[in-house]
Amino acid sequence: EADIYQTPRYLVIGTGKKITLECSQTMGHDKMYWYQQDPGMELHLIHYSYGVNSTEKGDLSSESTVSRIRTEHFPLTLESARPSHTSQYLCATSVEGEETQYFGPGTRLLVL
Amino acid sequence: QQPVQSPQAVILREGEDAVINCSSSKALYSVHWYRQKHGEAPVFLMILLKGGEQKGHDKISASFNEKKQQSSLYLTASQLSYSGTYFCGTESPNDYKLSFGAGTTVTVRA
């Protein structure tokens, strides 16, 4: 069954720690996205990728970085977590040539 | 650059109707509608491509006015399951990604 997986689902971590949020998909989609969403608020695009070795920054400035070494994997890394990074992070995918996006379950991050 | 949604929130009783609007300052190629229930990820509802088409999904339908650069989502005879936050995502020509509105929270009460 084609799906989008995000791990961890919940993460509580101290300031200054390095963290990597994982996103994997079995959809076979070329395009992948990372969004940041505060509770009850809008979705902000922070990174996206059109395929392997392609990464772009989104509309919202972010201190995170991403990589796309494999089609199915699009991890997001925070080198030094801060309380301002507390949010929900959603990964999404879409097919090349289409913009309909399919979202993963999200990772809720709390930085103390 | 992000589309503007209105209203911000609406409260309905079962069976009532509602309209959610999405307006953009940019020319649009397509409009996507998503619904997000509390604590869950957004789920795709429908896409409207330029051409002024109207689509339906159960008793939820939408229209797209390309010239006015706006789309409306119609909730007809609302059900409890319609509760959630509705987001429109707009795609402009040569943009190849979506910009999402701030969302409209819909609460349907028995």
Side-chain angles (χ1 to χ4, degrees):
Chain A
E1 181 179 327
D3 216 335
I4 303 170
Y5 304 92
Q6 287 188 244
T7 57
R9 292 294 311 278
Y10 304 92
L11 179 62
V12 180
I13 202 163
T15 297
K17 299 290 186 184
K18 177 181 179 179
I19 58 171
T20 296
L21 308 184
E22 302 287 351
C23 177
S24 296
Q25 53 116 346
T26 58
M27 314 276 281
H29 290 172
D30 289 318
K31 297 166 75 172
M32 296 186 74
Y33 311 81
W34 275 104
Y35 291 90
Q36 185 175 341
Q37 183 185 35
D38 292 330
M41 302 298 285
E42 60 211 279
L43 295 151
H44 291 287
L45 180 67
I46 50 175
H47 296 283
Y48 60 101
S49 166
Y50 289 148
V52 172
N53 294 326
S54 149
T55 61
E56 302 285 345
K57 288 188 181 293
D59 303 321
L60 180 68
S61 173
S62 173
E63 295 164 342
S64 57
T65 59
V66 291
S67 62
R68 190 87 184 277
I69 299 172
R70 301 196 328 255
T71 300
E72 58 272 16
H73 198 214
F74 191 40
L76 180 142
T77 299
L78 280 166
E79 290 293 332
S80 179
R82 296 191 295 167
S84 60
H85 296 141
T86 295
S87 189
Q88 176 172 239
Y89 293 83
L90 289 160
C91 177
T93 72
S94 68
V95 176
E96 179 63 38
E98 298 179 10
E99 292 308 321
T100 298
Q101 296 184 15
Y102 301 90
F103 287 84
T107 293
R108 292 184 184 273
L109 173 65
L110 172 61
V111 183
L112 302 174
Chain B
Q1 289 197 359
Q2 289 179 282
V4 177
Q5 282 186 240
S6 63
Q8 283 186 302
V10 60
I11 299 174
L12 303 166
R13 290 202 178 276
E14 266 187 303
E16 291 183 339
D17 302 339
V19 180
I20 300 169
N21 298 304
C22 174
S23 297
S24 174
S25 59
K26 298 166 68 173
L28 298 178
Y29 175 75
S30 68
V31 179
H32 303 234
W33 286 97
Y34 293 78
R35 178 172 64 205
Q36 184 178 30
K37 291 190 178 282
H38 183 69
E40 299 179 8
V43 174
F44 171 73
L45 291 176
M46 65 188 80
I47 177 176
L48 299 105
L49 301 174
K50 65 177 185 177
E53 63 176 350
Q54 186 155 349
K55 276 196 172 181
H57 177 81
D58 195 9
K59 289 185 179 176
I60 299 174
S61 61
S63 63
F64 176 27
N65 189 318
E66 180 188 342
K67 288 184 180 177
K68 291 186 177 180
Q69 297 169 184
Q70 56 186 222
S71 175
S72 295
L73 186 74
Y74 306 94
L75 307 180
T76 305
S78 57
Q79 305 168 17
L80 294 175
S81 61
Y82 287 2
S83 292
T85 300
Y86 290 78
F87 291 96
C88 68
T90 58
E91 179 194 1
S92 294
N94 301 315
D95 221 353
Y96 310 119
K97 54 183 171 67
L98 295 181
S99 293
F100 285 95
T104 296
T105 300
V106 173
T107 304
V108 181
R109 294 181 174 164

